[in-house]
Amino acid sequence: MAPEAHQKEAVLPCALQVEDQFVSPHSRVLSPLEAITTYENKNNIPSGWINFAISRSAPNGFWQRLERGEIKMDEQFFKGFHADLRNEKLWKEYHTNFRNDKKKLKHVANPTQLGDHVSLKAEAANSTPTDQDRGTQTSGVSGQKAPEMRDEGNGRTQPSSSSSPSPPEATSTLDSLPPLPNIDGESLFWSMMAHARNPDPYIFPALLRLEKLPYKERPIMAALSNTTIFPPDHPYSRLEEAPENDPRSHFDVFVSSADVGLRKPDPKIYKLAVEKLDRFDKEHGGDGVKAEDCIFLDDIGENLKTARSLGMKTIKVILGKTWRAVKELEQGTGLDLMDDRTRRSKL
């Protein structure tokens, strides 16, 4: 691709949630979803419960409020986050309506607030309702399974009580459910933060290769990230005070949810990022940037959906297969972003 085309195009390689992802040698490129899965397995917590609880606490759960910069990362946050993970109503909802039901998880367990590991698995499975899901016999009016009829021995038939079960909401109570997991919200949070600081073996090197290219030969690079702000005295905060550890140093434009009071997938934060890209390009002699000039990478489907609705090209980052996103980015930019060894092993 000609240098002029690169200059106009913008890449937003941002979106692995929680913290700014493409950063320094202490890069937080791995998704915290992997840390959640590890935590659930280690503590015998039902798969997907943590992400379900976080995502269904939106829009004003403590996680979402922290990422919008509305509250501090302090004792009150951790108490509130713990409470969100102990929501009895959501625990019942998780069990009675969604657990082990991939079709419902795909559409209802909304991965917009953090990223729902279970719904992502269902999406990958491309699950569809079976005859058992639909009910092999349905009434023409309600679509519910038609009750079987039993002979009463007097020429009359009556609905069989065993064939018309009560809805789950009528039979399931908190007493009949497994006990709510007692999740230590603070411990979980810091395990996610620690995991997310590890560099992705494919995306981070691609970022560095882009960064080393002459400005006129590469796309404008921007980060649009759902982030948190660490307390001033926390080691992570002090570490990032050093210029070489500042994530902003890797990008031309950097938009942090906690700084602007908006978070993905709100269209407003995408539009803000495009405005900043447009301003940056014009200040450097370009013609400006529109949404359709952008390539947006993310591992959360709902975040990608918003980007597409605004006209951006999108690339889905698949956990455990992030090299595929790099390959797509190469195709979109016309640039070599993998070393020869990686290319031979993956292509």
Side-chain angles (χ1 to χ4, degrees):
M1 187 177 292
E4 292 78 12
H6 289 309
Q7 178 66 20
K8 184 65 178 294
E9 191 168 42
V11 178
L12 285 76
C14 42
L16 299 181
Q17 285 62 248
V18 186
E19 297 182 81
D20 312 310
Q21 299 305 319
F22 297 97
V23 300
S24 76
H26 302 280
S27 176
R28 297 169 293 251
V29 199
L30 293 181
S31 171
L33 299 179
E34 298 174 4
I36 290 177
T37 300
T38 300
Y39 187 95
E40 288 178 335
N41 291 338
K42 181 179 179 180
N43 294 280
N44 296 317
I45 296 169
S47 176
W49 160 244
I50 292 174
N51 275 317
F52 183 87
I54 294 174
S55 66
R56 299 288 284 190
S57 297
N60 293 314
F62 278 79
W63 184 278
Q64 291 79 27
R65 293 169 61 193
L66 182 71
E67 287 193 335
R68 290 195 298 264
E70 297 171 357
I71 57 178
K72 295 181 179 180
M73 190 186 298
D74 55 16
E75 183 180 358
Q76 290 303 113
F77 161 70
F78 288 114
K79 285 183 178 179
F81 184 47
H82 177 81
D84 285 344
L85 297 171
R86 294 280 298 171
N87 187 310
E88 292 182 344
K89 180 180 178 181
L90 291 181
W91 181 242
K92 180 180 178 182
E93 185 179 353
Y94 170 80
H95 276 276
T96 58
N97 295 319
F98 305 118
R99 191 180 182 191
N100 297 326
D101 188 338
K102 291 184 177 180
K103 181 66 177 178
K104 289 181 180 178
L105 280 168
K106 179 179 178 181
H107 293 291
V108 184
N110 187 348
T112 64
Q113 308 310 322
L114 171 66
D116 194 310
H117 179 69
V118 177
S119 62
L120 291 175
K121 286 171 62 179
E123 182 176 314
N126 192 26
S127 58
T128 55
T130 63
D131 287 342
Q132 184 178 3
D133 295 328
R134 297 187 183 95
T136 53
Q137 294 179 333
T138 59
S139 65
V141 178
S142 66
Q144 297 175 345
K145 186 173 181 179
E148 298 175 2
M149 307 301 287
R150 56 184 173 85
D151 192 343
E152 293 291 299
N154 55 6
R156 299 177 182 176
T157 56
Q158 296 291 335
S160 171
S161 58
S162 62
S163 62
S164 182
S166 301
E169 293 78 7
T171 58
S172 296
T173 66
L174 287 173
D175 292 338
S176 66
L177 298 177
L180 250 170
N182 188 19
I183 300 171
D184 183 336
E186 185 168 1
S187 174
L188 168 65
F189 180 88
W190 289 118
S191 68
M192 294 166 66
M193 297 300 103
H195 181 83
R197 298 182 74 82
N198 297 313
D200 184 274
Y202 305 110
I203 293 181
F204 185 58
L207 172 67
L208 295 180
R209 291 172 77 93
L210 278 170
E211 190 178 6
K212 291 178 180 178
L213 290 173
Y215 176 73
K216 294 292 184 180
E217 298 178 12
R218 65 165 175 83
I220 304 171
M221 297 193 297
L224 169 57
S225 186
N226 286 348
T227 59
T228 60
I229 298 175
F230 295 112
D233 59 345
H234 192 275
Y236 288 171
S237 182
R238 292 197 299 271
L239 181 67
E240 290 162 8
E241 290 176 357
E244 65 272 18
N245 292 331
D246 184 358
R248 290 164 175 77
S249 66
H250 294 277
F251 298 95
D252 303 307
V253 172
F254 194 96
V255 180
S256 161
S257 66
D259 290 330
V260 302
L262 300 166
R263 65 188 301 279
K264 297 175 295 185
D266 187 338
K268 293 179 182 178
I269 196 170
Y270 295 75
K271 293 176 181 178
L272 177 62
V274 174
E275 290 174 6
K276 289 180 176 292
L277 281 165
D278 181 67
R279 187 182 309 119
F280 178 90
D281 189 41
K282 290 177 178 177
E283 288 174 351
H284 289 77
D287 298 328
V289 172
K290 300 187 293 293
E292 49 266 34
D293 300 319
C294 299
I295 301 175
F296 178 80
L297 293 83
D298 204 294
D299 66 343
I300 300 299
E302 200 70 18
N303 294 342
L304 294 165
K305 181 179 178 181
T306 299
R308 285 193 297 270
S309 73
L310 297 173
M312 296 181 184
K313 307 174 188 71
T314 61
I315 296 175
K316 184 167 185 177
V317 180
I318 301 174
L319 302 184
K321 299 179 181 179
T322 55
W323 60 270
R324 292 184 177 179
V326 176
K327 180 181 177 182
E328 287 190 55
L329 188 58
E330 286 187 326
Q331 295 170 348
T333 61
L335 299 172
D336 292 330
L337 302 177
M338 291 184 187
D339 58 39
D340 291 338
R341 181 179 179 181
T342 300
R343 194 177 305 281
R344 287 194 301 270
S345 64
K346 294 298 180 183
L347 303 183

